[in-house]
Amino acid sequence: MHVTDVNKTPSIFSRTNPFQAKVLKNVNLNGSGSKKETRHIELSLAGSGLTYLPGYALGIIPQNDPELVASLLEEMKWDAETPVVINKEGETLPLKQALTDYFEITLLSKKLVQSAAPFTENEELHKLLSPEHADQLKEYTNGRDLLDMLRDFGPWKATAQDIVSLLRKMTARLYSIASSIAAHPEEVHLTIGAVRYTAHGRERKGVCSVLVAERIQEGDTLPVFVQTNKHFHLPEAQEKDIIMVGPGTGIAPFRSFIEERAVTKASGRAWLFFGDQHAATDFLYQEELEHYQQDGVLTKIDAAFSRDSAQKVYVQHKMLEQSQELFEWLEGGAYFYVCGDKLNMAKDVHNALLEVIEKEGKLSREEAEAYVKAMQEQGRYQRDVY
Ligand code: NAP
């Protein structure tokens, strides 16, 4: 049983009618000298009727970077105030506002390049669109945005309306919720890694993460909604043990799990595997987690710092080091959770789990796979990976 009853009164706020949540706190969790910037933000849900369970996500509808919008206006010599129609209903907005609030401008799709073709005679673009250059087109769109396309394939015989009509509506960014509403009534907390990198000669910024890192202050509001997640949740039974693997921002839902279990005084044990670059600057929520360990809410914390030693140490290495105990927990019915990077980490952790089961259960690879499959069927292996 959860302490939070999510179904008591449905909120009027949703993806299509987001709630303007006030920012109560916005801090960088990384210490000075870190290569990373991870924001902890606390939002007020007061008056919204919104609530959530551990494992749910929060959607934020972001605004685009004003510098990027200014670069687009400058590149195309567009007037910021020109009214443009933004949707089928015929609503209009001044161009600058439409580019800031309404349209997706940081992603480039094959479809967008194709639909822009009638507005330019640029030979390079038409060549890229020929069937024999499909691979080059795919490579071109990867990591580039609208501004790249407009710069690369002019001159354009297009009005601002012609171009914005090709754009998609801004989509919400979803973040795993990092708090328990039972621990923080009428609040929701998030853990957001600022995404910044250079590609194709330009600095690139994550739309929502950098909005939060650079332009959102305490007292401002953000349009938000709650996204349920049926596939990532605490066990119904309080006495069940949980094993949580959450490196980097993957820690977020586990902070929620731990807070919830502290409030409900769950008797089940909890084991956290955390990882990041450096112990001194990147141990997210270290103090809180250590307090929970002292209080017995968290039974064990194993942290892997990848860049403190010559050889990289990751969460899966910590799992393997403790394979015997890990297997004992699994044999006792523990739930196993993974959150964070999908591309590499989640795969490696999956393989480490198989290795632990194979070794400690004295099973073949096929038998270990069947063991994991059974865990999945029982809902005892859950992932929230992105
Ligand atoms: P992160 O970049 O995932 O880093 C957290 C820790 O995980 C670091 O110590 C990192 O080590 C380590 N790590 C790297 N590869 C790993 C692997 N294969 N197995 C286990 N641990 C591994 O954390 P974050 O900054 O919170 O980033 C999370 C966000 O970045 C997510 O959105 C994720 O999808 C995205 N991301 C994407 C990619 C990608 O290539 N698609 C890669 C990383 C992150 P080192 O960095 O020292 O190797």
Side-chain angles (χ1 to χ4, degrees):
M1 237 262 312
H2 290 288
V3 287
T4 323
D5 179 3
V6 283
N7 296 319
K8 50 183 180 198
T9 25
S11 169
I12 57 159
F13 296 104
S14 64
R15 185 185 283 265
T16 48
N17 180 32
F19 174 66
Q20 292 291 338
K22 189 166 160 194
V23 179
L24 303 173
K25 194 169 178 184
N26 181 355
V27 294
N28 182 10
L29 295 175
N30 299 94
S32 65
S34 173
K35 285 189 206 67
K36 306 187 80 174
E37 180 177 355
T38 315
R39 307 302 298 195
H40 170 77
I41 71 162
E42 301 187 355
L43 300 166
S44 171
L45 295 178
S48 69
L50 288 171
T51 187
Y52 57 88
L53 289 176
Y56 284 11
L58 194 78
I60 300 182
I61 303 178
Q63 285 185 320
N64 284 306
D65 179 1
E67 282 181 25
L68 182 60
V69 171
S71 301
L72 279 166
L73 294 174
E74 196 189 308
E75 177 64 29
M76 298 303 283
K77 309 277 180 280
W78 282 335
D79 172 17
E81 297 308 317
T82 308
V84 287
V85 176
I86 55 166
N87 55 21
K88 287 198 187 82
E89 289 71 44
E91 289 172 70
T92 64
L93 282 178
L95 178 59
K96 184 175 164 187
Q97 193 187 341
L99 292 173
T100 306
D101 295 342
Y102 194 82
F103 291 110
E104 195 74 65
I105 58 173
T106 57
L107 297 173
L108 193 59
S109 63
K110 188 172 129 189
K111 200 171 151 221
L112 181 53
V113 181
Q114 280 166 339
S115 60
F119 300 104
T120 178
E121 284 168 12
N122 187 296
E123 278 177 25
E124 284 301 306
L125 182 132
H126 287 275
K127 205 167 104 189
L128 206 55
L129 287 173
S130 62
E132 62 272 25
H133 289 93
D135 290 347
Q136 284 93 325
L137 177 60
K138 198 168 172 205
E139 199 187 309
Y140 180 79
T141 54
N142 190 12
R144 287 191 171 84
D145 65 6
L146 176 66
L147 180 60
D148 291 309
M149 181 185 79
L150 294 175
R151 280 183 177 166
D152 290 347
F153 302 121
W156 294 90
K157 288 183 295 180
T159 62
Q161 181 70 63
D162 290 333
I163 298 296
V164 300
S165 298
L166 311 177
L167 301 177
R168 278 196 344 201
K169 191 173 179 219
M170 175 89 82
T171 53
R173 272 54 175 177
L174 291 175
Y175 296 97
S176 309
I177 290 174
S179 53
S180 150
I181 201 160
H184 307 276
E186 302 197 310
E187 287 184 15
V188 61
H189 303 176
L190 301 174
T191 314
I192 302 182
V195 176
R196 298 184 180 94
Y197 56 97
T198 302
H200 310 295
R202 272 180 45 213
E203 259 184 59
R204 315 274 164 168
K205 295 173 176 179
V207 176
C208 193
S209 66
V210 173
L211 164 71
V212 164
E214 294 179 3
R215 305 195 301 281
I216 290 292
Q217 321 287 329
E218 290 165 10
D220 291 347
T221 62
L222 281 170
V224 305
F225 60 92
V226 169
Q227 175 73 52
T228 62
N229 185 354
K230 288 195 182 71
H231 306 289
F232 202 79
H233 52 80
L234 279 165
E236 281 287 316
Q238 300 271 9
E239 68 277 10
K240 293 286 182 194
D241 294 338
I242 57 174
I243 301 165
M244 300 165 282
V245 183
T249 53
I251 186 72
F254 302 135
R255 181 176 182 267
S256 172
F257 280 20
I258 295 160
E259 287 188 351
E260 180 91 357
R261 277 206 151 184
V263 174
T264 59
K265 300 192 173 18
S267 61
R269 296 175 298 171
W271 187 350
L272 175 70
F273 290 90
F274 175 73
D276 218 317
Q277 294 183 359
H278 299 287
T281 54
D282 308 321
F283 196 158
L284 309 180
Y285 302 114
Q286 179 176 11
E287 249 179 65
E288 285 183 17
L289 293 171
E290 286 172 355
H291 276 129
Y292 282 123
Q293 192 175 18
Q294 282 153 21
D295 295 348
V297 176
L298 252 178
T299 316
K300 284 167 75 79
I301 306 175
D302 278 283
F305 294 100
S306 53
R307 304 194 191 184
D308 281 345
S309 51
Q311 199 92 38
K312 291 229 178 185
V313 184
Y314 289 154
V315 281
Q316 61 271 27
H317 301 131
K318 295 283 166 186
M319 287 168 57
L320 293 168
E321 271 172 26
Q322 308 208 45
S323 61
Q324 194 186 344
E325 192 173 354
L326 194 58
F327 188 66
E328 279 166 18
W329 281 52
L330 295 177
E331 284 285 276
Y335 282 56
F336 188 83
Y337 298 91
V338 185
C339 180
D341 174 52
K342 182 186 195 166
L343 201 65
N344 303 303
M345 183 278 295
K347 271 190 205 134
D348 293 347
V349 166
H350 181 83
N351 284 326
L353 180 65
L354 286 170
E355 212 176 311
V356 165
I357 294 164
E358 213 179 320
K359 179 175 170 226
E360 302 299 337
K362 302 191 175 37
L363 299 175
S364 67
R365 190 67 171 187
E366 292 70 41
E367 288 166 331
E369 276 163 4
Y371 188 106
V372 167
K373 191 152 175 270
M375 283 176 65
Q376 273 160 340
E377 283 162 5
Q378 294 156 13
R380 287 176 46 227
Y381 180 19
Q382 299 178 23
R383 306 205 295 179
D384 173 14
V385 295
Y386 39 84

